[in-house]
Amino acid sequence: FTKRTIGAELIIFHLMEILGAIVVGRFLDNEKSKYDSQRKRAIICLVSFVLINGAGNTIAFFQEISAKNSTSIANDISEMRAIIPSTAFALWGFADAQIQVYCYWLIGSFYSSGHDHSRAVGWYKCVQSLGTAIG
């Protein structure tokens, strides 16, 4: 990728994170949904996360195979061939926001008192930061 393309990919990723957080948050909190129970909404959220993340990984897998067999120059965002990796970035951004919102939604469901809730969120952020530090 060119520097311009990497910048565009990051914009796509983060815009889809914003969109994903809004969509999933509204879906999980919607009490008037046709999926009448929290359990159904949670299962739908997890299944859709697996499908969306799996689709992004599948696209990336085939893109990597294509890149290994090709001797072309770096992708630029102005070219049509940049659409496929951009789709993978978009799916990953949506899936990332989806699982983050789901985790916070679970914490909110499990802990009703402010003290317990803040400890749970602090612990979650600690574990999340440890995972980021490890790689």
Side-chain angles (χ1 to χ4, degrees):
F1 294 116
T2 61
K3 287 184 180 185
R4 191 169 88 145
T5 305
I6 292 171
E9 298 293 347
L10 291 173
I11 290 170
I12 290 168
F13 179 86
H14 290 293
L15 285 176
M16 287 303 290
E17 275 194 319
I18 294 167
L19 179 66
I22 292 169
V23 169
V24 173
R26 287 183 182 217
F27 175 74
L28 287 172
D29 287 339
N30 188 1
E31 296 295 329
K32 297 176 184 171
S33 172
K34 65 179 181 178
Y35 309 105
D36 53 354
S37 72
Q38 284 186 337
R39 172 180 257 163
K40 280 184 185 177
R41 291 193 306 268
I43 290 170
I44 289 169
C45 184
L46 284 178
V47 168
S48 64
F49 167 76
V50 169
L51 294 174
I52 291 169
N53 199 34
N57 289 336
T58 302
I59 291 170
F61 175 75
F62 287 112
Q63 185 68 26
E64 287 290 323
I65 290 173
S66 173
K68 280 184 182 179
N69 297 332
S70 175
T71 57
S72 66
I73 58 174
N75 285 345
D76 188 67
I77 195 66
S78 63
E79 299 168 356
M80 287 299 288
R81 65 180 181 199
I83 290 175
I84 294 172
S86 298
T87 304
F89 273 92
L91 292 170
W92 287 331
F94 192 92
D96 181 52
Q98 188 175 14
I99 203 67
Q100 294 295 326
V101 168
Y102 179 75
C103 288
Y104 283 118
W105 180 77
L106 280 177
I107 290 170
S109 297
F110 292 153
Y111 300 101
S112 58
S113 87
H115 295 293
D116 292 338
H117 188 262
S118 63
R119 278 191 213 103
V121 169
W123 176 251
Y124 173 70
K125 292 303 290 179
C126 182
V127 170
Q128 185 182 37
S129 297
L130 177 67
T132 301
I134 291 172

